[in-house]
Each structure stands twice: as C-alpha cells, then as structure tokens.
Amino acid sequence: MRYSTYQSIFPMNLEKMQENQKKGSKGFLQLIAQMITNTLLLKLLILVIVVWIAGAGVLTVFAAPSVPKVEVTKLTVQPGDTLWQIAIKHKPERMDTRVYIEGIVRINGLEDRGVQAGQVLKLPYF
C-alpha cells in the first residue's frame, strides 16, 4: 500500500496553504497595525470624553452666578434709633441680636457701631 498525504491527494490545497502562509506573516503585521490603531482610537476616545466633561464643568462654573443674590431691605434711621433697637425690630425671631447687628455692620461697611438720623442702612436677610 502506498502512503499518501493530504497534500498528494489535493495538490491545489498545497498551493493555497503556501499562499496563506505567506499571507500569514503579512496578516500578522496587519493584526499588529490594527491593534495599535485600536489602542490609539481608544486613547483618543478617552481623551475626547475627558475634555468634554472638563469643558462642561467649566461652562457650568461660568454659567452659575458667582455671588448668590442676598435679599436686603433698606431702612432710614430715625432720630434716637440705635443698632440694637433696629436689630430687635428686624431680626429673625430666633436669631441672637448681636449676630444680626454684626450682619448690619458688615453689609453696610460701618466702621463704628453708631448710626445717625437720616442714614440709610441695608438690613440683611437671614
């Protein structure tokens, strides 16, 4: 009995196999190039996402008001009024009068704690 191989039975397949082996080395290089390309694309995608998120954060910061609007009431000081009397009349119910006076002093930029008749004071809203 004669010994035969797959190649002897199908000579066409031998040629195709040799071509595939030649292409195989070429295919390996193509595979490496494709992997590098995929890696670069992934890095680029991550970079775009990071820039997008950072840009959205910056836009949000600039879109938001930098200082919240604080409601104030203006009051003209009457003869005989003191900061203590004004604070007692206008402070929130459970707030310490001294804290409210500090708010009046701060919001009006008063250097001393005395007020004069006719002076217009801003009263803070708490």
Side-chain angles (χ1 to χ4, degrees):
M1 174 176 212
R2 185 173 161 208
Y3 177 73
S4 66
T5 63
Y6 176 78
Q7 293 174 352
S8 65
I9 298 172
F10 298 102
M12 296 294 280
N13 286 339
L14 176 61
E15 292 171 8
K16 287 182 183 179
M17 285 177 58
Q18 289 172 347
E19 286 178 24
N20 286 342
Q21 285 177 348
K22 289 178 185 176
K23 288 181 183 177
S25 61
K26 196 178 204 183
F28 179 73
L29 293 176
Q30 288 175 345
L31 181 65
I32 296 285
Q34 185 178 7
M35 287 174 53
I36 290 172
T37 304
N38 289 345
T39 304
L40 289 175
L41 286 175
L42 180 63
K43 288 179 182 178
L44 181 62
L45 178 64
I46 291 171
L47 178 66
V48 167
I49 290 171
V50 167
V51 169
W52 185 355
I53 291 171
V58 168
L59 290 177
T60 302
V61 167
F62 286 119
S66 59
V67 178
K69 282 190 171 183
V70 176
E71 294 183 29
V72 292
T73 305
K74 292 186 179 182
L75 171 82
T76 304
V77 178
Q78 301 300 315
D81 281 349
T82 64
L83 280 178
W84 189 265
Q85 293 169 336
I86 293 170
I88 288 175
K89 289 179 189 174
H90 297 281
K91 72 177 180 69
E93 203 174 300
R94 295 183 181 221
M95 179 177 259
D96 185 0
T97 306
R98 294 169 292 190
V99 173
Y100 195 75
I101 290 173
E102 283 299 316
I104 294 172
V105 168
R106 206 172 313 130
I107 198 169
N108 290 289
L110 301 175
E111 292 181 16
D112 60 355
R113 299 194 183 252
V115 290
Q116 297 177 359
Q119 185 177 3
V120 178
L121 294 176
K122 298 176 199 170
L123 300 178
Y125 175 77
F126 287 97

